Amino acid sequence: MTQLLRHPYGDIDDLAAAYADHTPKDLLSGLINDVFGARIALVSSFGAESAVLLHMISQIKADAPVIFLDTGKLFAETLAYQQKLSARLGLKNVQIMRPDPIHEADFDPDLDLSQTNTAVCCFFRKTVPLRKALRGYPAWITGRKSYQAQTRAHLPRFERDGLHIKVNPLANWTPEHVAQYMESHELPAHPLVAKGFPSIGCSDCTTPVASGEDARAGRWRGQDQTECGIHFAGGKLVRASAA
Ligand code: SF4
């Protein structure tokens, strides 16, 4: 029902039309400086391609909110990269969200739930902390791109996510755009990229990807799940990924 209501900050079709010709950085600048102010947050996994949006944000407003979900199951390399990249870019408002310890004790006391029930594991490790983090932010930004997987082939720049507006500034970027941006701004790569991980999530549920596979083929490999539950469409959970 909430999907049908006009958002207080405007209709997503109007926003999409107003920013149709803007580059990703200009789009972000407009949304942060002219539309949402401090009420829009970037949700970043500090994964393989996250440096692009993090760099743009650092150039526009270094104290813009950045939400990082530390699921308790991330690679050690991701945690180190988050620290290193945040310092390098001078990010001043990185908010680290973690699962509720009570949920972890109740649902995953042996820390092996990812082997038997990924839906519940993702729900208390990702979905609940994100929903908590987004209180107070009517809009959020993701790093998703249409080339990452077939399930994202028609990704728009603006979406409604229940009461939130979700913005995908890089929706129509190609891998070449990302590579060029990383190179021209001398951004450090996530250390696992060189080891065959073009998409990086939790260590329990991420494998390297072979040549020719979707970038996200290594996420929940061999399972029906392709999204972690932080992305919704039409008010329903898309059982298909995260940023
Ligand atoms: S990606 Fe795997 S380990 Fe991470 S929260 Fe989801 S099921 Fe759990």
Side-chain angles (χ1 to χ4, degrees):
M1 187 64 176
T2 53
Q3 297 289 103
L4 302 176
L5 300 176
R6 183 176 172 80
H7 194 277
Y9 281 86
D11 186 89
I12 56 171
D13 291 335
D14 294 339
L15 286 168
Y19 289 97
D21 297 328
H22 287 58
T23 64
K25 187 176 178 185
D26 288 343
L27 165 66
L28 287 174
S29 179
L31 295 178
I32 291 171
N33 292 319
D34 304 330
V35 181
F36 295 104
R39 302 197 72 203
I40 185 168
L42 169 64
V43 177
S44 178
S45 64
F46 285 79
E49 298 173 338
S50 299
V52 171
L53 285 183
L54 290 164
H55 179 262
M56 290 180 187
I57 290 281
S58 74
Q59 300 278 297
I60 296 164
K61 194 168 187 291
D63 63 350
V66 174
I67 295 168
F68 172 60
L69 300 178
D70 177 359
T71 64
K73 292 279 186 173
L74 298 178
F75 289 97
E77 289 90 338
T78 300
L79 299 177
Y81 185 63
Q82 185 270 312
Q83 295 285 322
K84 176 181 167 185
L85 191 57
S86 297
R88 161 90 174 263
L89 298 178
L91 296 170
K92 299 187 185 334
N93 190 7
V94 179
Q95 302 169 19
I96 301 177
M97 299 299 294
R98 297 187 172 91
D100 186 325
I102 294 174
H103 290 168
E104 185 170 77
D106 282 351
F107 296 130
D108 198 5
D110 297 323
L111 303 179
D112 59 0
L113 187 64
S114 63
Q115 306 307 308
T116 56
N117 196 331
T118 55
V120 173
C121 190
C122 279
F123 184 73
F124 86 83
R125 293 187 183 280
K126 293 182 176 179
T127 311
V128 173
L130 177 65
R131 293 292 130 178
K132 193 171 168 190
L134 287 177
R135 285 183 199 148
Y137 297 111
W140 58 296
I141 302 157
T142 90
R144 293 183 302 159
K145 302 151 207 89
S146 58
Y147 69 75
Q148 290 174 313
Q150 295 205 347
T151 50
R152 295 181 176 181
H154 305 291
L155 187 69
R157 276 181 136 190
F158 290 89
E159 300 174 276
R160 272 297 290 270
D161 172 18
L163 295 173
H164 295 89
I165 288 175
K166 187 158 60 172
V167 189
N168 308 305
L170 305 180
N172 20 1
W173 266 28
T174 65
E176 290 73 31
H177 285 122
V178 173
Q180 279 171 10
Y181 192 94
M182 296 278 292
E183 187 179 342
S184 63
H185 295 282
E186 300 181 339
L187 298 175
H190 189 298
L192 290 179
V193 171
K195 296 183 179 177
F197 292 80
S199 176
I200 302 159
C202 293
S203 57
D204 287 11
C205 302
T206 311
T207 67
V209 165
S211 175
E213 288 188 305
D214 269 358
R216 293 182 60 79
R219 307 289 293 276
W220 302 282
R221 187 181 287 281
Q223 303 185 46
D224 290 340
Q225 181 154 337
T226 57
E227 297 279 346
C228 68
I230 69 170
H231 295 297
F232 292 75
K236 296 178 181 175
L237 171 64
V238 177
R239 294 309 306 280
S241 147

